[in-house]
């Protein structure tokens, strides 16, 4: 293969003396010198044309090789640029604060709301979040935790679609952190601190406008309710309990066919919330009365030997003063007044609406499956301190009292929680434990 371009080669003069020897060999074969020169010229032309074809093929191959090299180099450079761009994006993703756009403006006079990252994650996802995180106390706890939290620590948690994802450890509720105050246990002052701040954060995290407006109307309705400024503290607390229960229920049912709006307050459920608080208060007072009577009985028994040793008669335990709980108006009525009579013995307690027994126990949490005498299966059960039949129907708790229910209409059924009859409540149920006539103290 020629090393130089054959297209630039010049055909020699084969008639010159330089090629005399080559012509002489052809002349000896019987041709003239002129014919020999033309033959040599024709032979050179054939060889030159062949060299041109080989040269052209070589040049094409060289161009293709260079093109491949150039393409490979361009591909390598493109891949390098893509890797550098991916690294730059990852850097911006990991250090968002470093690359956040600078906002030109004055320092705001209003304090910046910086809730706990756990609350931030909940609001971003549109999930239920306790108001505690937006109270002054909750914001102070968040500020303290942000100062000691490790920013690079990650934990894996399941998401709503069943997949797992890594999130900052600070965005997960720490079981060792300060306990979160439930919404129903907040004071009204704390509620007033938290509600406007949560509304502001809902707007920051792009909650739909109709949901934000619903929460504004819901919380405004609670603030303007007639129970908000009454002297009865149970009614004020009932509003907070109602807010906690219904807002959590709303989040659990959102998106389903059973969803509803929080804007209008359900008075029946509000009365039930007040009744629940009243029952808890009565239980505490009853247990306190039992403990006080037991302490008095123990003190009397302890002093008996000294009276006998001194020749004095032993005092009867029944002469001890019995503490009485103060009267409490029944939910939904301002006329009827019921008095919690502290028992001296188990037999004088009101019967439990579930097991119908009169022995001391937390009746609002009774989980018995049989009545007190093991003769019948229980007809109802306690669910979140409410009464429900085994087939899922709600039973009026006020109907089970001695004086019955004074509310004319509501969703709960007026049936006995012990046997299902609609002619009486639990206190008058024939299956209930009979009231003891003896004073055991």
């Amino acid at each position: 293969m020629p090393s130089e371009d054959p297209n630039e080669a010049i055909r020699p003069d084969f008639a010159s003396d330089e090629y005399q020897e080559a012509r002489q060999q052809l002349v000896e074969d019987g041709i003239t010198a002129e014919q020999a020169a033309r033959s040599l010229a024709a032979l050179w032309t054939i060889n030159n044309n062949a060299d041109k074809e080989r040269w052209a093929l070589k040049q094409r191959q060289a161009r293709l090789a260079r093109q491949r090299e150039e393409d490979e180099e361009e591909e390598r450079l493109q891949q390098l640029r893509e890797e550098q761009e991916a690294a730059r994006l990852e850097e911006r993703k990991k250090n968002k604060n470093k690359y956040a756009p600078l906002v030109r403006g004055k320092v705001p006079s209003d304090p910046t709301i910086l809730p706990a990252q756990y609350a931030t994650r909940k609001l971003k996802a549109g999930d239920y979040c306790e108001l505690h995180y937006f109270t002054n106390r909750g914001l102070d706890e968040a500020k303290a935790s942000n100062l000691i939290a490790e920013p690079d620590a990650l934990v894996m948690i399941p998401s709503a679609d069943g997949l797992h994802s890594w999130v900052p450890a600070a965005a997960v509720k720490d079981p060792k952190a300060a306990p979160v105050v439930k919404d129903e246990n907040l004071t009204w002052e704390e509620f007033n601190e938290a509600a406007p701040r949560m509304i502001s954060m809902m707007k920051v995290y792009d909650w739909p406008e109709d949901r934000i407006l619903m929460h504004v109307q819901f919380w405004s309705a609670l603030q303007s309710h007639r129970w908000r400024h009454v002297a009865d503290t149970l009614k004020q607390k009932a509003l907070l309990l109602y807010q906690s229960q219904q807002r959590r229920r709303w989040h659990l049912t959102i998106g389903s066919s059973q969803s509803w709006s929080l804007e209008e307050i359900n008075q029946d459920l509000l009365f039930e919330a007040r009744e629940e608080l009243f029952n808890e208060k009565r239980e505490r007072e009853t247990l306190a009365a039992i403990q006080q009577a037991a302490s008095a009985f123990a003190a009397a028994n302890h002093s008996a030997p000294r009276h006998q040793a001194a020749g004095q008669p032993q005092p009867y335990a029944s002469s001890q003063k019995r503490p009485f709980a103060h009267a409490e108006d029944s939910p939904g009525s301002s006329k009827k007044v019921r008095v919690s009579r502290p028992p001296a013995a188990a037999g004088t307690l009101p019967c439990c609406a579930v097991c119908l027994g009169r022995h001391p126990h937390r009746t609002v949490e009774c989980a018995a499956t049989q009545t007190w005498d093991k003769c019948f299966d229980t007809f109802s059960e306690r669910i979140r301190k409410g009464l429900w039949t085994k087939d899922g129907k709600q039973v009026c708790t006020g109907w089970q009292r001695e004086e019955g229910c004074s509310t004319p209409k509501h969703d709960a059924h007026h049936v006995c929680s012990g046997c299902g009859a609609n002619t009486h409540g639990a206190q008058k149920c024939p299956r209930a434990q009979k009231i003891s006539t003896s004073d055991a103290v």
Side-chain angles (χ1 to χ4, degrees), residues 21-135:
E21 184 178 355
R23 291 194 305 271
Q24 186 61 38
Q25 292 178 0
L26 295 176
V27 170
E28 290 177 356
D29 291 336
I31 62 174
T32 63
E34 184 179 353
Q35 291 176 335
R38 285 198 300 269
S39 297
L40 290 175
L43 182 62
W44 182 90
T45 300
I46 293 173
N47 290 333
N48 182 257
N49 290 336
D51 290 342
K52 288 180 179 179
E53 292 179 358
R54 286 191 292 270
W55 178 265
L57 177 62
K58 178 182 178 181
Q59 295 303 312
R60 286 196 299 270
Q61 291 176 345
R63 284 196 300 272
L64 291 175
R66 286 195 301 272
Q67 185 65 38
R68 283 195 300 269
E69 291 177 357
E70 291 175 359
D71 292 344
E72 291 175 356
E73 180 65 15
E74 180 63 26
E75 184 178 353
R76 187 186 67 82
L77 293 176
Q78 180 63 25
Q79 183 177 358
L80 179 61
R81 287 192 293 269
E82 291 177 354
E83 292 176 354
Q84 292 174 345
E85 179 65 15
R88 187 182 68 85
L89 293 177
E90 183 65 22
E91 170 70 12
R92 295 178 70 90
K93 183 179 179 181
K94 289 175 60 177
N95 303 293
K96 293 181 179 179
N97 293 338
K98 177 181 177 181
Y99 299 98
L102 180 63
V103 179
R104 299 290 181 180
K106 296 181 179 179
V107 178
S109 302
D110 298 332
T112 304
I113 302 174
L114 295 175
Q117 291 191 33
Y118 169 79
T120 299
R121 182 173 64 85
K122 286 292 186 180
L123 284 181
K124 283 183 178 180
D127 295 337
Y128 174 83
C129 181
E130 292 85 354
L131 289 170
H132 164 81
Y133 292 104
F134 298 90
T135 62

Side-chain angles (χ1 to χ4, degrees), residues 340-377:
S340 298
R341 298 179 180 177
T348 60
L349 286 172
C351 73
C352 172
V354 176
C355 69
L356 301 178
R358 299 182 185 276
H359 55 285
H361 65 292
R362 288 189 60 81
T363 57
V364 293
E365 298 176 356
C366 183
T369 58
Q370 290 183 319
T371 56
W372 63 280
D373 54 1
K374 310 298 182 184
C375 293
F376 305 94
D377 292 335

